[in-house]
Structures are given as structure tokens and as C-alpha cells.
Amino acid sequence: MPRSLATALFHPWTWRMAWRDSRSQRVRLVIFALAIVSGIAALVAIHSLKASVQTGIETQAKALLGSDLQISSRRPVKAEDFARLSAMARNISRETTFPSMVKFLPGGGARLVQVRGIEGGYPFYGTVETTPADAWQRLKSEPGILFEPALLDQFQAKVGDEVELGGLRLKILGAVDKPAPRGSRFSGFAPEAYVRLADVEASGLLGSNSMSNHQLHLEMPGGPASKELKDKIRAEFKDDGGWRLETPDDRRENLGDALENFQRFLGLLALASLVLGAIGVAGAVHSHVKRRVPTIAILRCLGCPAHLAAAIYVVQAAVLGLAGALLGAGLGIALQTGTLAYFKDSLPITVAPSPEWKVVAQTTAAGFAVCCGFALVPLLKIRRISPAATLRGGATLGGGAWRALPVYLLLVGLLVMLALTNDSNWKRALSMVGGLALAFAVLAAVARGLMFLTRRVVSPRWPYLLRQGVSNLHRPGNQTLLFLLSLGLGSFLLVTILLAGNLLNGKLSLNTSVESPNLYLIDVQPDQEAGVRKTVEGQGLPVLESAPMVTMRIESVRGIPVRDAPGVPRWVVRREFRSTYRDFMNPTETLVAGEWHKSVPDPAGPVPLSLEEEIAKDLKVGIGDEISLDVQGVSVKAKVTSLRKVDWSRFNLNFFMVFPPGVLEDAPGFHVVTTKTPDAKTSGELQRALVKEFANVTAIDLTLILETVRDILGKISTVVSVLAGFTVLAGLPIVVGTLLNGRDVRLKESVLLRTLGASARQVRIILTIEYAALGLLSALTGVLLAVAANAALAKFVFKASMWPDFGLLGIAFATATGVSVIGGLLLSRGVCGHPPLEILRGGA
């Protein structure tokens, strides 16, 4: 016979005995294997998705930008600077982007688009695919315009039709199937239209202060620009225009950063699913071994060493884990490829929907190791079963928890390693494992507290059926701990995700009050403001607001250049602030500090400035501090005289900086006019009227933009909900297995109660009370944890109301409780069908 556990695991006798011993328990073991399936499926899917996207980013880094260096600025690049940059580059291309209205002829339908005027051979890397195939090349040599296919479908337009863009009529040359890399974030919310840069300049749409962005795309002789070259360009060109320099490496890092938080969140779900599945395995193995104590004791009496008896059940657990891991890996691959196919049109890169085999192997192996580690905890107790257990009826499997301490430490190490694969920052990885452990600890503490409480509060004065049902929560063979862990954690995660989705939707909901606009008219020149007002009112619509807007940049804070100011975020340094001037406060603003100025008290001193409170915190300034502003080449000294709290959720014309009248009137700028349209038809009629009379005025329909955002978030929410569903599915097999194991105990109790004269109805009532108590507490604990998580998200992430959706909480609470009661009763069918005579024969 083998002399150690390691050699016993590979002995043929061990495998034969493991197979024979499992014959009466295979259904239960299969149910618990499903817990591993869902946990590893989520783990494999999430890590494979992350690897696929990262691979796509790495292999398409240059195509993501289309050039070796991109220089972006709000102002046109000077001719002398363009000449110097041209001398440094192998090829150079210019691009100007801005939002504008385009009118489809002859029907006259109007739509906001992001116009991209391109000159030169951009993109230098990657290709632009069009229908017909030569449309992109034709655009470089003849007047015309290219649209996205969806926009052509919307207006029933076809190649050869004409559109009006400003003062130009352009022929539609084709549809862009695969666009050039996007340089503007706004283009994600408006369909793109491609024209020649010369046609943009001839359209008359670019004013001195229009919302345009200018890019230079450079193909460098030595490949992508290095950090040293970027620093050299900034130094030589003084960065006067607020240039933003970007390389393929920068674009790759930015995309990675954008996905990072999302990946961490999904990684937490995967880890929770895996741990929940592993707990199910541990529970299954513990229950299985507990039922086999008499068998193991008999083997010991026949001379079987302890390590050989333990090897039988180690083999069973390993096979159980391996089968579940392989099935979970297959399901994870299907989920990963399906998600990539679902998102193929939304990703900024091309990602092949193929498995990441290396990641699949690594995550499957890691998940298998975690499940086996959890199974070792009950398996270690087998070695302590003595032959004398055959003489002691009701021998149990317990005690010796301290002997499993090395296993516990190993499990913690495995979980931390898994967390580090999701987030390389060890502090965040430890926080992830710690947060998950805290949720488990809370649920376990509630379960222990419930058992302690029921043992103390049950009174002989209670009705017998109620007393019997509640007492089942603490009696030997109770299901309380595993039940709360599985159903409670599943409820917590799923309700948290649903509440987070409500928070997002709440932030994207238009306020339905009369004062809240849904249509913005921008680029209204000062001499056009009265005419635009008349056009809006002529359509029977209200003019809600009209505010002047002037572009400026921050030069210094308290005399320190903003680039060198300590603690000021980088985005503040790069940002061009569009500010306004008025002598009143909006209904969406509240004065929180200082004094509101309606005029300039001292023309010779710094001008009064009112700051929004959050931007004041970013700038590290307060009342009395001075800020120097560059208002399109003119330096303006300002003094912070008030701080305002702004309700950004109402979508009114709100600004970070507000000046009193008498400061910015002579600065180049434009007006923004807002109105509220009751439906899409009215909005379209107004936009057509504006395009006819004021071609440069751009109408931004907030409803359309929010629909686009909701569509994107809806797809993301679908994926997250599916993965969260795997966490819930990981808990359901534990619930089912726990109920099956508890069924044996309930069978003996019911037969005993029937022997003492209880009716089948009374036994069912006792079971219903037990499962209702378990379900109510599991649901209550999970929902309360979700409410706490929702409050933290609302306060620290979404800056929204911490009050949850009580309707959703009620539905979740009722569903979890119903699953407990209905599932318990269904799986307990037949408990009341055994005749009382069985207890007398010892067959129960």
C-alpha cells in the first residue's frame, strides 16, 4: 500500500474506491460542481476580455492615432509654426473639427454632425474603408462629403444627393464604414461628416471664436515621437496655443486608463463568483465526508491508513473541481467571444472575437487551485477519524480548526495573487480581497448571530409549529451559514449593480420642469442673437436663456504659473474655460461664500470673479485669492469674491467662472440660446428654420445625445448584469446543495414527528417557517449591504441622492425570500411521504 498521501493519490485502488464511494452521491456532487462552473466562467471571461482588448491596443497602437504625433489646439496653428513642424516631419496633415448643422436636400432634414475637414494623407497608419471603395480618395481631389451609414439611412439619402453645409452645397460621395481615428470626444455623441479642409474654410462656418479644434498629424522619420521630442517641441514653440501632444503610446495608455476602473469592478465580480463557488465546494465536500464518517471508520478498522482513506475523498474533490473548471472555462470562452461580437461596433479598435488561450489556461488553473484549497479544509479532518467511530453512533466531523491554519494562509495568498492579476497595485488588490472578506464576514456574523439569538429567544410559550421551525435555524444540521452566504451575497451584488444603474440613469435624466432646456443653440454671433430669438419664438417655443460665452485660459494662481502651482490637476492647465458675464444668479446656483458683485467696484484693480466651488477646490483658491486669466491674448487680473454651488443635473447654462458686466463685452465670443421642444418633430422644424437663416448656428439636441449615452451604457450594463448573474448562479447551486443536504436531517425529523402524531400539513408548515426565516434574513442582509454600497457610490462617485429605489429593494427582497421558500419546499418534496414505521425499523 502507498506510504504517503502524495503516492496514494495516484494508486489505482484509490481511484476505484473513489468511484464506488461516489455512486450514491453523484447528483449532489454534480449540483455543487455547478458552483465552480459559474465562478470560473466569470473569471475566465473577464480576464480574457481584458487580454483581448489589451492585445488589440498593443497591435494597433499606431492605427489608434493614425500618425506618429498629433498636435491639438483650440486655435489655428500659425503659418510659421506649421512650416517649422513640416521641416521636422516626413509627412504632415491638417485637420479642423467642429460641430455644425447639415441640411439634407431636397427634403430639408437637418442634423447635428461633427465636421472633420482633412487636408493631406492622414491617416498614415491604418485605412479608411468606404462605400464605394474609392470615395476616400475622391474626397481628396474633389468637393464632396462622406457620412456614416446610419445617418444616410436616417434621411434616406444616397450617393449623389446634395447637402447644405453653411454656405456650400456638397455632393454625397459615399459612406464611411471604417472611420479615421477620432481626435474629439464629442464625435462619440454626434455622427461624423468628412470634407476637404478647403471646403470647411469656404463654408463660412468658422468664426473667430467658434467651437473648433485644430490638429496637425505628423509622420516622423524615426517613427512615433518620444517623450524627449515632445518636450523639445513644447520648449521650442512655447506651447502658446495650448497645444496638446499625443503619440500612439499616449493613446494606448489613455484607452487602458479608461478601461481600468471598469476592469477592476468586473474583476471584483469574478473574484466574488469564484470564492462563492469555492465555498460551495467546501460545503459539498464537508457534507459528503460527514455522511461517510461510518464508511471511513470501517475502512480504518480493516487496516486502511488514514492518509489512504483521505486520498479517496481528495481524488473525488479534485475530479469535481477539474470537471467544473473545464466546463466553466468553456462557458467563459463563449461569454468572452459573445461579448466582443456584441461590442464590435462600439470599440475604438478591432478586436478579434477569439479565445485568449494562455489567459484561459492561467485563470482556469488558478480557479481550480482556489477550489481545491477550499476543499482541503474539510478533507484534512478525515485523518482524525479513528476506527473507534464504528462503535460510537452519530460520530461527527469537527474540531481541529487550528490544524487548517496553513491552508487558510495558502488560500489568502492565492486570492491575493488573483486580485493582483486584475490590478497590479498591491494596495488596491489587498483592498479588493479585504472588502470581499468583509462582506463574507458580515454575512457569516449575521448567520452566527441568528443562530445564537434563536437559541435564546425561542420560548415554550410560542406556538409549537413556530417554535419548531425557528429552532431548526440553530439545531445540528442547520443550513443557516451556507444559506446566508450564498443567497445573501448574490442578493447584495445583484441589487448593488441594479441600484448603480439607477444612479447612472438618474444622472442622465432630463429634468422635466419648464425651466430646463433640451435644445442648445451655440455659435450665435452677437449680431445674430436678436434674430435667433425671433426665429425660436416664431416657432411657438420659449427662449429660456441667452448667455454670452468667452473663451479663456488660466495663466497663474496667486502669482504662481498654473503649470507650477502645487496640487492643480493637469486638466485645468490644458482646459480652455468658456465663461460668461451677468449681474444675476441662475436658479440653479447657490451662493456659499463671499459676496456677489453686479458691477466692477474698482476699474483700476482686479475684476471680481465668482467661481464654482468644486473648481475652486481644484485650484486650491478661496475668497480673496487672485487669478490671472489669458482672454485670447489679453491678460486679465481677477480676484475671487464669491463661491457658488451649481446644480449641474438640470442642464441649464451654468459656468465655472462668472464675471460682472463691464469686463468681457469687448472680447471675441458668441451667445448660447436655449429652448425646450416638446417633441422630435418640433425640434426638427426649428433646426431646419435655423439652418436656412443662420447657417453657422449649431443646434445641440440634448435628448439625442443622452439617448446615445444611454445606448452605450445600456450595452455596458448588459455585460455587467450578465457577469453579476454568474455570481448569483454561483450561489444558487450552494442553496440547492444545502437544501439537499438538509433534506436528510429534515427527513429524520419529519418521520419522528409523524411517529409522534404530527400531520403532513404541520410538517410542511414547520419547513415553510424555517425557509421563510432563512430567506427573509438572507434577503434583508443582502439588501442592507446593497443600500450601504449604493450610499457610498452616490456620495463619492455619482454625487447624487443616497436614497435608493425602494420599489427595486422591495422586489429584490420579495424575490430572494420567494426563492428560499419555494426552492426549499420543492426540494423537500417527499419528506412528508415516508411512513412513520420507518423510524421504528431504523430505515430513516
Side-chain angles (χ1 to χ4, degrees):
M1 299 297 289
R3 298 180 179 275
S4 67
L5 178 62
T7 54
L9 292 175
F10 301 97
H11 197 281
W13 181 86
T14 305
W15 286 80
R16 285 198 302 272
M17 287 298 296
W19 174 255
R20 291 171 183 169
D21 185 79
S22 69
R23 283 182 294 194
S24 63
Q25 301 293 316
R26 286 173 189 166
V27 174
R28 297 171 188 258
L29 293 177
V30 166
I31 290 174
F32 275 103
L34 295 177
I36 309 175
V37 171
S38 55
I40 290 185
L43 193 71
V44 169
I46 288 168
H47 286 276
S48 297
L49 280 171
K50 181 179 178 181
S52 294
V53 174
Q54 195 64 38
T55 301
I57 292 174
E58 294 288 344
T59 57
Q60 302 171 55
K62 287 187 177 182
L64 287 173
L65 191 66
S67 61
D68 292 322
L69 177 65
Q70 177 179 287
I71 300 174
S72 303
S73 174
R74 287 289 186 183
R75 306 175 194 171
V77 177
K78 299 176 183 175
E80 56 270 25
D81 291 340
F82 179 79
R84 291 171 61 192
L85 289 168
S86 299
M88 298 170 59
R90 177 184 296 161
N91 287 305
I92 190 167
S93 188
R94 291 194 300 168
E95 179 180 358
T96 297
T97 63
F98 59 95
S100 182
M101 303 298 294
V102 64
K103 183 179 179 181
F104 288 82
L105 302 176
R111 182 70 161 88
L112 172 69
V113 297
Q114 180 74 0
V115 180
R116 299 186 65 178
I118 298 178
E119 174 187 83
Y122 178 77
F124 305 117
Y125 305 105
T127 57
V128 176
E129 297 177 4
T130 62
T131 303
D134 63 343
W136 184 254
Q137 295 301 322
R138 289 178 59 196
L139 183 66
K140 296 180 180 180
S141 58
E142 63 180 271
I145 191 168
L146 300 175
F147 289 110
E148 294 179 5
L151 192 60
L152 295 179
D153 292 340
Q154 180 183 348
F155 289 92
Q156 299 297 305
K158 58 185 183 298
V159 175
D161 290 349
E162 288 190 335
V163 298
E164 245 182 41
L165 181 67
L168 285 180
R169 281 197 173 201
L170 298 171
K171 184 182 294 186
I172 299 175
L173 300 180
V176 178
D177 302 314
K178 181 182 177 183
R182 290 175 173 175
S184 170
R185 294 177 182 177
F186 183 80
S187 59
F189 305 113
E192 293 184 330
Y194 294 84
V195 298
R196 297 187 308 170
L197 185 59
D199 293 332
V200 168
E201 295 168 351
S203 68
L205 293 173
L206 291 180
S208 60
N209 201 32
S210 63
M211 295 182 64
S212 59
N213 193 44
H214 305 270
Q215 289 103 24
L216 294 181
H217 307 285
L218 285 72
E219 182 185 14
M220 307 301 292
S226 62
K227 182 179 182 301
E228 291 73 19
L229 180 58
K230 288 166 61 179
D231 293 340
K232 178 183 176 183
I233 291 175
R234 286 196 178 100
E236 287 187 9
F237 291 84
K238 305 299 182 185
D239 206 354
D240 291 334
W243 289 2
R244 180 173 178 265
L245 278 62
E246 190 174 9
T247 66
D249 287 341
D250 296 329
R251 179 62 63 92
R252 181 179 59 205
E253 291 174 5
N254 290 339
L255 280 174
D257 292 343
L259 294 170
E260 189 174 4
N261 288 333
F262 183 57
Q263 290 169 343
R264 287 177 193 157
F265 175 66
L266 293 183
L268 181 60
L269 284 181
L271 198 61
S273 300
L274 180 64
V275 173
L276 200 54
I279 288 176
V281 174
V285 173
H286 181 275
S287 176
H288 178 57
V289 173
K290 183 178 177 181
R291 293 166 60 87
R292 315 309 286 174
V293 168
T295 303
I296 296 170
I298 292 172
L299 287 173
R300 297 297 311 280
C301 287
L302 297 175
C304 179
H307 64 268
L308 189 57
I312 295 171
Y313 298 96
V314 171
V315 165
Q316 288 181 351
V319 171
L320 172 74
L322 183 61
L326 294 176
L327 187 57
L331 192 57
I333 290 172
L335 185 61
Q336 173 228 1
T337 53
T339 301
L340 290 176
Y342 181 71
F343 270 106
K344 64 179 180 180
D345 296 328
S346 302
L347 292 172
I349 56 175
T350 301
V351 181
S354 57
E356 296 283 340
W357 293 113
K358 181 179 178 181
V359 176
V360 169
Q362 290 174 342
T363 50
T364 303
F368 175 66
V370 170
C371 291
C372 288
F374 273 80
L376 275 178
V377 176
L379 289 172
L380 287 175
K381 299 178 181 179
I382 294 178
R383 301 171 69 106
R384 298 176 51 254
I385 299 175
S386 70
T390 56
L391 306 176
R392 298 193 300 267
T396 59
L397 189 69
W402 64 271
R403 297 176 183 269
L405 182 60
V407 179
Y408 291 135
L409 295 177
L410 175 64
L411 288 175
V412 171
L414 285 172
L415 292 177
V416 172
M417 288 176 61
L418 271 176
L420 285 171
T421 61
N422 184 63
D423 189 343
S424 58
N425 186 300
W426 66 271
K427 292 183 180 179
R428 286 195 294 259
L430 286 178
S431 300
M432 180 185 295
V433 176
L436 194 58
L438 179 62
F440 276 97
V442 169
L443 289 164
V446 170
R448 296 292 183 187
L450 177 64
M451 289 186 280
F452 175 83
L453 187 64
T454 53
R455 189 177 288 112
R456 297 292 188 276
V457 302
V458 174
S459 170
R461 293 190 298 271
W462 289 14
Y464 174 74
L465 298 182
L466 177 62
R467 186 169 71 247
Q468 187 74 11
V470 173
S471 295
N472 282 345
L473 299 179
H474 67 79
R475 286 175 179 155
N478 70 79
Q479 311 164 83
T480 305
L481 181 59
L482 276 178
F483 208 96
L484 258 76
L485 281 177
S486 56
L487 192 58
L489 187 66
S491 302
F492 159 60
L493 290 173
L494 195 59
V495 174
T496 298
I497 290 168
L498 293 174
L499 290 176
N502 284 350
L503 287 174
L504 276 174
N505 289 331
K507 296 294 284 185
L508 293 175
S509 295
L510 278 174
N511 193 307
T512 56
S513 68
V514 178
E515 296 81 10
S516 297
N518 62 2
L519 190 69
Y520 293 78
L521 308 179
I522 62 174
D523 272 352
V524 180
Q525 299 304 310
D527 59 346
Q528 296 176 324
E529 198 255 351
V532 169
R533 276 178 171 271
K534 184 178 179 180
T535 301
V536 172
E537 292 169 350
Q539 297 286 326
L541 299 172
V543 174
L544 299 179
E545 295 174 281
S546 177
M549 192 176 289
V550 177
T551 303
M552 59 189 66
R553 299 174 64 86
I554 298 176
E555 287 183 334
S556 64
V557 177
R558 293 191 300 273
I560 304 173
V562 68
R563 291 182 183 277
D564 304 325
V568 175
R570 289 177 56 193
W571 69 268
V572 174
V573 178
R574 298 193 304 262
R575 184 182 180 96
E576 281 196 340
F577 292 88
R578 298 188 182 273
S579 307
T580 192
Y581 53 91
R582 46 181 158 82
D583 59 1
F584 59 92
M585 291 179 60
N586 278 341
T588 54
E589 299 173 322
T590 305
L591 192 67
V592 294
E595 179 186 358
W596 179 264
H597 285 266
K598 296 184 178 181
S599 60
V600 179
D602 182 10
V607 299
L609 172 62
S610 178
L611 281 180
E612 189 265 344
E613 60 176 353
E614 294 299 325
I615 192 67
K617 291 178 183 177
D618 288 333
L619 292 172
K620 306 292 190 296
V621 298
I623 303 298
D625 288 334
E626 291 193 2
I627 298 176
S628 179
L629 300 161
D630 176 9
V631 184
Q632 301 175 51
V634 178
S635 183
V636 174
K637 303 293 183 183
K639 181 179 181 180
V640 180
T641 56
S642 66
L643 299 179
R644 294 166 293 116
K645 180 180 179 62
V646 177
D647 181 6
W648 298 101
S649 66
R650 293 179 59 180
F651 297 103
N652 291 82
L653 289 180
N654 295 310
F655 299 86
F656 287 120
M657 302 182 188
V658 178
F659 294 82
V663 179
L664 301 177
E665 280 82 350
D666 294 331
F670 58 85
H671 280 68
V672 178
V673 178
T674 67
T675 184
K676 188 177 185 69
T677 58
D679 50 47
K681 180 181 178 182
T682 306
S683 176
E685 291 174 354
L686 174 61
Q687 292 180 46
R688 283 191 289 273
L690 288 169
V691 169
K692 186 181 298 183
E693 298 185 47
F694 308 99
N696 62 293
V697 173
T698 299
I700 298 180
D701 192 333
L702 195 61
T703 306
L704 292 177
I705 293 177
L706 291 182
E707 285 177 0
T708 304
V709 176
R710 287 193 189 102
D711 181 60
I712 295 171
L713 292 177
K715 289 183 178 180
I716 296 174
S717 177
T718 300
V719 174
V720 173
S721 298
V722 168
L723 295 173
F726 273 86
T727 305
V728 177
L729 290 176
L732 287 180
I734 302 177
V735 174
V736 174
T738 302
L739 292 172
L740 283 176
N741 288 327
R743 186 177 185 274
D744 298 330
V745 177
R746 301 298 168 258
L747 180 62
K748 293 180 180 180
E749 291 179 356
S750 66
V751 170
L752 181 58
L753 289 171
R754 295 287 304 282
T755 303
L756 296 174
S759 66
R761 176 177 175 274
Q762 289 175 315
V763 173
R764 281 193 289 269
I765 291 175
I766 292 172
L767 292 175
T768 302
I769 291 173
E770 178 187 358
Y771 294 133
L774 284 172
L776 284 169
L777 198 68
S778 300
L780 181 62
T781 307
V783 166
L784 288 178
L785 285 173
V787 169
N790 176 76
L793 288 172
K795 181 175 181 181
F796 300 110
V797 178
F798 296 105
K799 310 295 182 185
S801 171
M802 292 188 290
W803 290 102
D805 183 345
F806 289 101
L808 175 61
L809 296 182
I811 293 173
F813 184 82
T815 302
T817 306
V819 167
S820 172
V821 175
I822 296 172
L825 293 179
L826 286 176
L827 292 172
S828 299
R829 284 187 307 170
V831 166
C832 303
H834 291 261
L837 190 59
E838 284 191 16
I839 193 67
L840 302 177
R841 293 174 176 171

